[in-house]
Amino acid sequence: MQEAPTANPENSSSENTEEYREPAIRIKELDFLYGNNQVIHNVTLDIFPKEIMAFIGPSGCGKSTLLRCLNRMNDLVEGARIGKGSIEIHGVDLHDKSVDVIELRKKVGMVFQKSNPFPKSIYQNVAYGLQIQGVKSKRVVDQKVEESLRKAALWEEVKDRLNENAYGLSGGQQQRLCIARTLAVEPEIILMDEPCSALDPVATGRVEELILELKNEYTIVVVTHNMQQAGRISDRTAFFYLGKLIECDLTKKIFLNPSKQQTEDYISGKFG
């Protein structure tokens, strides 16, 4: 993948010496509050198509809140609001009156920290989103279920047990099932909030391999407390502290030669 241009709080330009690339997500001078408590301060950040962006930082630094701003999941929290600034996806302001939030969440899918399969069969978990969209053809649903499970690297493990309850799967399999459920409704962007925090090392490795494969088709934003994981899977990394974007750059640079002392202190374990 071509290296993405550097972004930082002072200059989030998406222009480099080779070409201009239109960002998939553009966050401009964003302030976000829960009631009177401001949790995100003047964040400006571009995220580019088919890259993996990692958000890192200590607990309470605003990274999960920012992630949930990207598909307006924070709308569900009483008192949550943007103070100023904007978020655009493919040039469309997410808070424009013309934006259908249900359609937005279909295009910007979410995978949560704890796998949350429905108490239904493996098949029904993946088919659910298609069915509520009104897809009635069993052939089309069958095809999409298989395709999504294959993309989630789960098909070979479950193809003979599709009618079994999803709760019978291991934790890692359940998380990949939730990813398949997200893929079935054909998102353009996938948000992942600590997708491996509840998994053992083997299951974590499988999910990380899957994330790297999915980058070929999707823009992916991952919140992680695991800095080693950010180093393994992301193209660029954004470091947040106390609700502010301290630095965003190529992951290799963030970990080996950060521009900001706060970033270096966090990476080296001096706080966090």
Side-chain angles (χ1 to χ4, degrees), residues 52-65:
I52 301 173
M53 168 70 80
F55 289 175
I56 65 169
S59 295
C61 69
K63 55 190 185 295
S64 289
T65 294

Side-chain angles (χ1 to χ4, degrees), residues 28-76:
K28 300 178 184 177
E29 300 179 348
L30 186 73
D31 288 350
F32 193 84
L33 302 91
Y34 292 120
N36 294 321
N37 179 30
Q38 186 170 344
V39 291
I40 294 175
H41 302 262
N42 197 38
V43 168
T44 293
L45 179 66
D46 287 348
I47 301 169
F48 294 90
K50 296 183 181 178
E51 78 167 349
I52 301 173
M53 168 70 80
F55 289 175
I56 65 169
S59 295
C61 69
K63 55 190 185 295
S64 289
T65 294
L66 182 60
L67 188 79
R68 290 165 180 260
C69 287
L70 302 182
N71 68 349
R72 290 181 54 179
M73 286 292 289
N74 289 323
D75 287 13
L76 305 173

Side-chain angles (χ1 to χ4, degrees), residues 126-145:
V126 184
Y128 178 79
L130 299 167
Q131 291 167 341
I132 63 171
Q133 287 177 15
V135 179
K136 300 190 184 304
S137 167
K138 187 175 187 306
R139 180 185 62 80
V140 171
V141 174
D142 287 350
Q143 182 179 1
K144 202 67 187 175
V145 167

Side-chain angles (χ1 to χ4, degrees), residues 22 40 45 47 67 79-80 82 92 101 115 140 175 177 181 194 206 214 218 233 235 261:
E22 193 68 31
I40 294 175
L45 179 66
I47 301 169
L67 188 79
I82 284 181
V92 177
V101 176
S115 57
V140 171
Q175 191 64 302
L177 178 65
R181 188 174 68 197
E194 296 277 0
R206 295 294 301 276
L214 292 174
Y218 307 94
I233 67 172
D235 299 296
Q261 186 63 46

Side-chain angles (χ1 to χ4, degrees), residues 7 17 32 50 109 118 145 159 184 193 195 208 217 225 234 254:
T17 56
F32 193 84
K50 296 183 181 178
F118 302 138
V145 167
K159 63 183 179 182
D193 192 359
E208 287 182 1
E217 296 184 51
H225 279 97
S234 66
I254 288 287

Side-chain angles (χ1 to χ4, degrees), residues 145-178:
V145 167
E146 178 176 345
E147 177 186 317
S148 301
L149 288 169
R150 285 189 184 278
K151 284 184 176 180
L154 192 58
W155 174 252
E156 292 300 326
E157 297 169 45
V158 303
K159 63 183 179 182
D160 297 322
R161 47 193 292 212
L162 294 176
N163 293 320
E164 294 181 15
N165 194 300
Y167 287 173
L169 297 174
S170 70
Q173 288 174 324
Q174 287 187 15
Q175 191 64 302
R176 281 183 283 145
L177 178 65
C178 293

